[in-house]
Amino acid sequence: MTGLSSKHPFNLYYNAGEYIKICGAQDGTFPDFGHHVANEMGGVWLHPIKLLDGFWLKVTDLDRGISVWTRADTFTNEPWGSRFEYDHGLSHIPVSIERIQFAPEREKGFIAKYRVQAYEGETVRLGLELLARTDLRPVWFSDHMGIVDGERDEPMETADCKVLVKDSAHPWFVQIGTDLPEPHVETGTSLYGPEFTAGAGCGVAFRAQIELAGQETFEFRLFAAGSCASQEECTQTYERLTLRYEALLAEKQAAYREIEARARLEIAGETLLNEAFAWAKWNNQWLVQTVDQLGRGLTAGGPTYPWWFGCDSTYALQGVLAIGDAQLAIDTLELLRSKSEEVNGNGRIVHEITTMGAVANPGNTQETAHYIAFVWDLFEWTGDEELLRRHYEYCVKGMDWLLGEMDGDGDLFPSGYGIIEIAGLNMELIDSAVYTAKALQAMAAMSEQLGESANAVKYRELAKRAVAAVNQAYWCEDEGLYGDAIAPREAVEAKADVMISLARKQGIAGYEEYIRSLLQRTTGHVGDQAWLLNKNWVIVTPMEVGIADPDKAARALATMRTEEFIGPYGTYLSGIYKQGTMTISTGVHAVAEAANGHPDEALELLRRLLRTFSVALPGSFTEMSPDYGCVVQAWTLYALAVPLIRHFFGVRPQAHRRLLQLKPQLPSAWHDKECKLEGLRIADASFDLCIQPAKEGEGHLVTVRNEQRWTVALELNGECRESDAAWIQWEITPRN
């Protein structure tokens, strides 16, 4: 478990436990940034409140009269925290400094440890000033619940090298302290470090003097704990941090080693892919957020979207299941369902839930369908029928909402916004239609499993009709693609000016002519028709979920392999705009290729995605490829784990039957390589898989460790094998 280093001082980093999130710059400072809460998205957060704008260290050489607010020369991202190294940034002061910080996984606070070392042969007297700036305030959108930040932060207690600060209007607390020797403590609203941060906070400074002989070292720590509930909780957390900081770090590191061991990927010769996959699992844990009053779940991205989303979850959680963290998938889905029931109650899944519990958007159409499809997926990986039954009732409501209120013309294509939230695109969109068809298939399977036979028959018939309808209505024969949307000509004409205006703002030349030509070609056409308005990446979804007619899938995928759709970092968000790429657009495209028997093309897309690994933050992929937006994004795990585990290794569990189906399809570049996937967790079972070239001749040797004695069914090279032995080894040769 080795960290990755960077020398990009102005880029951001993200440290996280399940309660605390820390975001600053890689030079160790804390610049203001962000738009949800303007200039306040960085610093230290204990959701649903912010604790600190940041913390800084000033070093003074008392003999030379030199003072420096430290800035790191080198940043190292560790899975469990961060390291900052200060040397050249200390000007002519003859010491080096290392700062190590982390947030314990289940504590409402964090620890930063400083290690100061004098240069060889030097004796130095130093003045140290450790300064923190509080900013107790609520998360974005809280004002819609009537929760407004207090006018100021008020120091309440200053004793024993620690200061307790409270928001003037709420029981929000932060306690800050240090183990510096006999520090002088100062507080004040006008007390700042090297950065004048936004917010009505309070400065807290600890000042001390030390003397170091040549190569002598000195260590000290900053501790900070918070609570949005009570002073007692805050002070008790602080006490645990000061007493157990070494143990808490050891526990954190052990937890991240355990994450590394789950679904451990090792493809011979694929060093970058293996490393990126391990980091994607760690990145995923950074985004887990627990809020005592609400629950636990996977947030969308840090630091800009540190709360819960419907669509982000139902993509990302497919990857979460593949890496063996079923409990996180269960927790996240329960949070979505319970909040949706509270706010909507009609089966609609909410789009966005802040950590204060506010719902900023009651839900886009696609999200309800995607949730329903994922409920069945979750059951196949857990075998938990009680869990399935708990979600089933809301799924029934959701299906009624999709095909009732949202499908006024009864064509099985719900209207409204999908995942592409572009003004004007609230028609019968391709992703909503595709995921509704997939949801109907899931509803049929759920109903049959739960003994709801009448519903099973109904949903099975509707699913057949929906799949056929998607393939007929959305297909654009001349272009060899599925359309973005279904709409009558007059509806597109009414929205044309809005879409043209948006394209102009993005500097897209020729878009007006493109839309006008589409409208001209359809003059006199009556009724609904398919439109390629933007050639958005979601037109690949029929192939992703496996409902595209084979000939249409082949044509569409061939068309989408061109430069019109694919750029240097993966699949464009829009084939018309060609301006943005995300890990989700590339990931869904890779899944579509793999699901339709094209592993080589899927791997090529993943290789483009890998070009963005560590570009902004070592060990991570950003929201927008290659280096923009959130420095860590949840659905990146979908983009990696689903193609790799569910398709290349072909993992298809039916946990309720204690059955693991394997249908590997390795890229041709891997046919002569050893491919391992160890510690694959499904329900209460764990498997080790290895696919390697056969010992003699062509074909593959497949080995499975199966200590729980599930039935393992393998389909490879046209052969089928089955066994429930604890140790299975099959040699599979291609059929002539």
Side-chain angles (χ1 to χ4, degrees), residues 188-211:
T189 57
S190 60
L191 188 59
Y192 287 89
E195 298 170 281
F196 189 84
T197 58
C202 171
V204 178
F206 303 93
R207 301 186 182 98
Q209 294 185 8
I210 63 170
E211 181 174 321

Side-chain angles (χ1 to χ4, degrees), residues 398-418:
M399 209 71 250
D400 290 344
W401 177 74
L402 286 168
L403 299 183
E405 180 179 339
M406 303 307 292
D407 185 25
D409 57 7
D411 60 1
L412 301 180
F413 305 147
S415 299
Y417 284 104

Side-chain angles (χ1 to χ4, degrees), residues 324-341:
D325 195 351
Q327 189 59 55
L328 176 58
I330 292 167
D331 292 345
T332 307
L333 209 65
E334 179 59 28
L335 193 156
L336 283 175
R337 184 199 62 80
S338 60
K339 182 55 72 170
S340 298
E341 187 116 50

Side-chain angles (χ1 to χ4, degrees), residues 215-228:
Q215 289 195 303
E216 186 179 358
T217 62
F218 172 73
E219 292 186 355
F220 64 97
R221 277 149 286 271
L222 169 75
F223 304 98
S227 174
C228 58

Side-chain angles (χ1 to χ4, degrees), residues 149-365:
D149 184 22
E151 291 184 3
R152 60 193 176 279
D153 292 353
E154 300 174 332
M156 294 181 62
E157 296 179 6
T158 302
D160 300 325
C161 304
K162 59 182 183 289
V163 177
L164 180 70
V165 180
K166 178 186 179 295
D167 180 84
S168 60
H170 304 278
W172 302 338
F173 298 87
V174 60
Q175 185 154 304
I176 311 153
T178 182
D179 57 3
L180 277 168
E182 300 180 356
H184 170 72
V185 182
E186 181 183 353
T187 65
T189 57
S190 60
L191 188 59
Y192 287 89
E195 298 170 281
F196 189 84
T197 58
C202 171
V204 178
F206 303 93
R207 301 186 182 98
Q209 294 185 8
I210 63 170
E211 181 174 321
L212 299 178
Q215 289 195 303
E216 186 179 358
T217 62
F218 172 73
E219 292 186 355
F220 64 97
R221 277 149 286 271
L222 169 75
F223 304 98
S227 174
C228 58
S230 71
Q231 177 179 337
E232 181 183 22
E233 181 184 50
C234 180
T235 57
Q236 287 177 351
T237 300
Y238 183 89
E239 188 73 13
R240 288 194 298 273
L241 295 180
T242 60
L243 294 175
R244 299 192 67 245
Y245 57 85
E246 296 290 354
L248 289 169
L249 178 58
E251 290 168 8
K252 177 100 176 186
Q253 292 171 335
Y256 275 70
R257 284 192 295 270
E258 195 274 334
I259 291 170
E260 182 181 24
R262 289 200 318 255
R264 184 174 182 273
L265 183 75
E266 188 177 342
I267 310 297
E270 295 281 1
T271 303
L272 179 60
L273 179 61
N274 296 334
E275 181 180 50
F277 187 73
W279 277 93
K281 293 187 293 181
W282 290 324
N283 291 174
N284 185 76
Q285 186 62 30
W286 300 349
L287 294 172
V288 178
Q289 181 68 61
T290 297
V291 176
D292 290 342
Q293 302 88 338
L294 288 175
R296 175 179 183 262
L298 183 65
T299 61
T304 306
Y305 295 100
W307 41 78
W308 305 289
F309 285 76
C311 61
D312 297 63
S313 296
T314 45
Y315 278 116
L317 294 180
Q318 295 177 58
V320 169
L321 288 177
I323 65 166
D325 195 351
Q327 189 59 55
L328 176 58
I330 292 167
D331 292 345
T332 307
L333 209 65
E334 179 59 28
L335 193 156
L336 283 175
R337 184 199 62 80
S338 60
K339 182 55 72 170
S340 298
E341 187 116 50
E342 174 192 325
V343 173
N344 294 326
N346 61 351
R348 184 180 188 177
I349 292 296
V350 296
H351 174 65
E352 191 170 11
I353 310 167
T354 76
T355 49
M356 193 65 82
V359 172
N361 176 341
N364 298 330
T365 304

Side-chain angles (χ1 to χ4, degrees), residues 35 74 90 116 119 184 194 273 335 458 482 509 515 566 635 667:
H35 64 277
T74 303
L90 290 169
V116 185
Y119 288 174
H184 170 72
L273 179 61
L335 193 156
K458 177 181 74 172
Y482 288 91
I515 287 294
I566 299 176
W635 56 29

Side-chain angles (χ1 to χ4, degrees), residues 357-641:
V359 172
N361 176 341
N364 298 330
T365 304
Q366 163 263 344
E367 290 166 297
T368 296
H370 219 191
Y371 156 79
I372 294 169
F374 181 73
V375 168
W376 179 249
D377 197 22
L378 182 59
F379 174 70
E380 289 197 302
W381 281 77
T382 64
D384 188 338
E385 191 166 301
E386 181 181 344
L387 173 69
L388 178 65
R389 195 174 295 278
R390 189 160 68 244
H391 284 272
Y392 178 75
E393 182 181 350
Y394 203 72
C395 288
V396 171
K397 288 182 182 179
M399 209 71 250
D400 290 344
W401 177 74
L402 286 168
L403 299 183
E405 180 179 339
M406 303 307 292
D407 185 25
D409 57 7
D411 60 1
L412 301 180
F413 305 147
S415 299
Y417 284 104
I419 194 171
I420 306 296
E421 296 177 278
I422 298 176
L425 279 184
N426 56 342
M427 311 173 187
E428 293 179 341
L429 299 177
I430 182 71
D431 51 326
S432 296
V434 166
Y435 293 141
T436 295
K438 187 67 175 176
L440 285 165
Q441 293 176 336
M443 288 301 299
M446 283 188 245
S447 299
E448 186 171 350
Q449 177 66 32
L450 297 175
E452 301 282 347
S453 55
N455 275 351
V457 171
K458 177 181 74 172
Y459 290 129
R460 193 174 297 113
E461 178 58 30
L462 285 170
K464 290 178 182 177
R465 287 173 49 200
V467 169
V470 166
N471 280 287
Q472 180 178 357
Y474 282 87
W475 182 250
C476 301
E477 178 63 26
D478 291 346
E479 292 85 356
L481 293 167
Y482 288 91
D484 299 305
I486 294 289
R489 183 184 182 280
E490 55 269 24
V492 173
E493 190 170 29
K495 298 173 185 290
D497 288 343
V498 173
M499 293 186 287
I500 290 167
S501 176
L502 288 171
R504 282 178 182 156
K505 289 179 181 177
Q506 297 297 318
I508 304 302
Y511 186 75
E512 180 174 4
E513 291 76 9
Y514 174 75
I515 287 294
R516 300 298 182 202
S517 69
L518 290 182
L519 291 168
Q520 179 64 33
R521 288 188 345 232
T522 57
T523 300
H525 191 284
V526 178
D528 286 346
Q529 59 183 301
W531 297 86
L532 275 163
L533 300 173
N534 293 93
K535 299 184 181 179
N536 291 310
W537 63 270
V538 289
I539 63 176
V540 81
T541 56
M543 288 74 78
E544 175 211 7
V545 304
I547 69 166
D549 289 342
D551 59 333
K552 292 183 172 69
R555 284 191 63 195
L557 288 171
T559 303
M560 291 188 70
R561 290 180 199 131
T562 63
E563 292 182 358
E564 182 178 14
F565 291 95
I566 299 176
Y569 306 113
T571 304
Y572 292 123
L573 299 178
S574 163
I576 295 288
Y577 280 41
K578 296 186 183 65
Q579 287 184 330
T581 303
M582 284 186 174
T583 54
I584 190 61
S585 56
T586 305
V588 171
H589 195 172
V591 169
E593 291 283 15
N596 287 270
H598 306 294
D600 289 352
E601 289 76 6
L603 181 59
E604 169 58 24
L605 286 165
L606 295 187
R607 293 203 191 287
R608 290 175 186 261
L609 186 152
L610 287 172
R611 294 174 185 169
T612 73
F613 179 60
S614 295
V615 170
L617 173 64
S620 188
F621 299 84
T622 51
E623 174 190 2
M624 298 290 297
S625 303
D627 59 358
Y628 178 70
C630 290
V631 296
V632 58
Q633 193 78 15
W635 56 29
T636 299
L637 190 65
Y638 169 98
L640 288 172

